[in-house]
Amino acid sequence: MTNHGHPPADDAYPANDDADLDASQSNASQDDGSDDNDIGPDGVAHPRRIRSFVRRAGRSSEAQKRAFDELGPQFLVPYAPEPLDWPAAFARADAPRILEIGFGMGDGTAHIAKVRPADDFLGVEVHEPGVGALLKLIGTTPLANVRIIQHDAVEVVEHMLPEGSLDGVHVFFPDPWHKKRHHKRRLLQPPFVALLASRLKPGGYLHCATDWQEYAEQMLEVLGGEASLENTADGYAPRPEYRPVTKFENRGLRLGHGVWDLVFRKRG
């Protein structure tokens, strides 16, 4: 892992070297993010879409499996290539709508949802143990303002979230894909940032955080290059109070590792 112990907040765990990458991709149930082409039924090679994650099966605990069975029917939203009915999904209308991409094991999501009960939070994650862990937290806290979609975040944003429908987006500690040849797999690239910005309402915010300095610098450049967004700070932002400091982050800070927050707003 590259995030000083953080569960990665892109959609699933990253591969740490080429051998591991090959093994992970052979077991993936989605496109593997390689440069190879798929051969279509017409015999023509079609380029694969680069994925920002590698799906790994992982192993859910018994408590996480129980949470799936008991809470999944209420809090899991099935992926469908059509706009999400937020009032139906959350059983209330007119609450601010926040998307979180890649919530890892869900501790931060649960904390933020608890301290901001007036807001509705949609978490998107493919890693099954993480989904089970957040479902467990939803039940034990308890929380009524969180829903989960277990699917590729890009497809969720493209097909389920209409333009101008979100009040905020959280992307915390996405995998940095730290090797240069893997940078193309980073989630926060100009096309995806433009897509996220299009889904924000005027005045809505995009909050990113990373503990990888080189990725923070790229984030600042990419977000600053999106014309529809404006930085709320002169460079990096102070950590907003709602974002908790995790135990892994605390450990990293004690070791002298930096953490960078970026908060941009959609122009009116």
Side-chain angles (χ1 to χ4, degrees):
M1 265 195 217
T2 56
N3 278 14
H4 310 311
H6 286 284
D10 273 2
D11 291 335
Y13 283 90
N16 290 321
D17 54 38
D18 291 339
D20 195 17
L21 182 62
D22 292 340
S24 300
Q25 291 173 348
S26 68
N27 295 323
S29 61
Q30 303 191 41
D31 291 350
D32 63 13
S34 73
D35 293 326
D36 296 334
N37 292 327
D38 287 324
I39 305 301
D42 54 2
V44 177
H46 300 280
R48 294 175 177 173
R49 194 183 85 190
I50 292 173
R51 298 270 183 186
S52 64
F53 65 90
V54 173
R55 186 193 291 269
R56 292 182 177 176
R59 178 175 293 180
S60 297
S61 69
E62 290 304 314
Q64 291 164 359
K65 294 176 182 177
R66 188 163 57 249
F68 260 100
D69 293 338
E70 296 176 357
L71 300 173
Q74 180 179 355
F75 295 100
L76 285 176
V77 176
Y79 170 77
E82 59 188 27
L84 174 65
D85 186 341
W86 283 80
F90 285 86
R92 64 176 177 178
D94 301 326
R97 300 169 179 179
I98 313 299
L99 169 69
E100 180 171 3
I101 296 175
F103 52 74
M105 300 305 285
D107 301 89
T109 307
H111 172 90
I112 296 170
K114 183 177 180 180
V115 301
R116 293 171 54 176
D119 298 344
D120 287 338
F121 293 88
L122 178 66
V124 180
E125 174 66 71
V126 299
H127 185 54
E128 187 163 305
V131 174
L134 180 53
L135 284 169
K136 183 172 178 287
L137 289 169
I138 288 172
T140 57
T141 302
L143 297 169
N145 60 334
V146 178
R147 297 294 184 272
I148 301 168
I149 299 179
Q150 189 177 1
H151 195 78
D152 172 25
V154 177
E155 293 183 354
V156 171
V157 176
E158 286 179 337
H159 302 300
M160 297 188 72
L161 304 177
E163 293 186 6
S165 63
L166 298 175
D167 295 273
V169 177
H170 296 169
V171 187
F172 298 150
F173 303 101
D175 189 86
W177 291 100
H178 62 284
K179 293 183 180 180
K180 188 173 182 179
R181 63 183 176 274
H182 294 158
H183 285 184
K184 63 188 177 183
R185 295 178 187 164
R186 288 177 171 176
L187 182 66
L188 293 170
Q189 307 281 1
F192 189 55
V193 169
L195 179 66
L196 290 177
S198 74
R199 270 47 182 175
L200 287 171
K201 299 175 182 177
Y205 70 92
L206 172 56
H207 178 188
C208 305
T210 182
D211 57 359
W212 193 263
Q213 183 175 358
E214 192 272 335
Y215 198 7
E217 293 167 355
Q218 179 186 326
M219 287 182 184
L220 188 60
E221 179 180 356
V222 171
L223 270 62
E226 171 52 49
S228 66
L229 298 175
E230 60 183 354
N231 199 342
T232 65
D234 183 13
Y236 303 107
R239 178 181 61 85
E241 290 186 359
Y242 60 77
R243 185 179 75 76
V245 178
T246 69
K247 62 181 179 180
F248 300 108
E249 187 176 345
N250 266 323
R251 184 177 67 185
L253 291 171
R254 288 196 300 271
L255 294 173
H257 302 149
V259 176
W260 294 266
D261 285 82
L262 303 92
V263 182
F264 281 67
R265 289 200 179 275
K266 179 76 171 285
R267 299 183 190 272

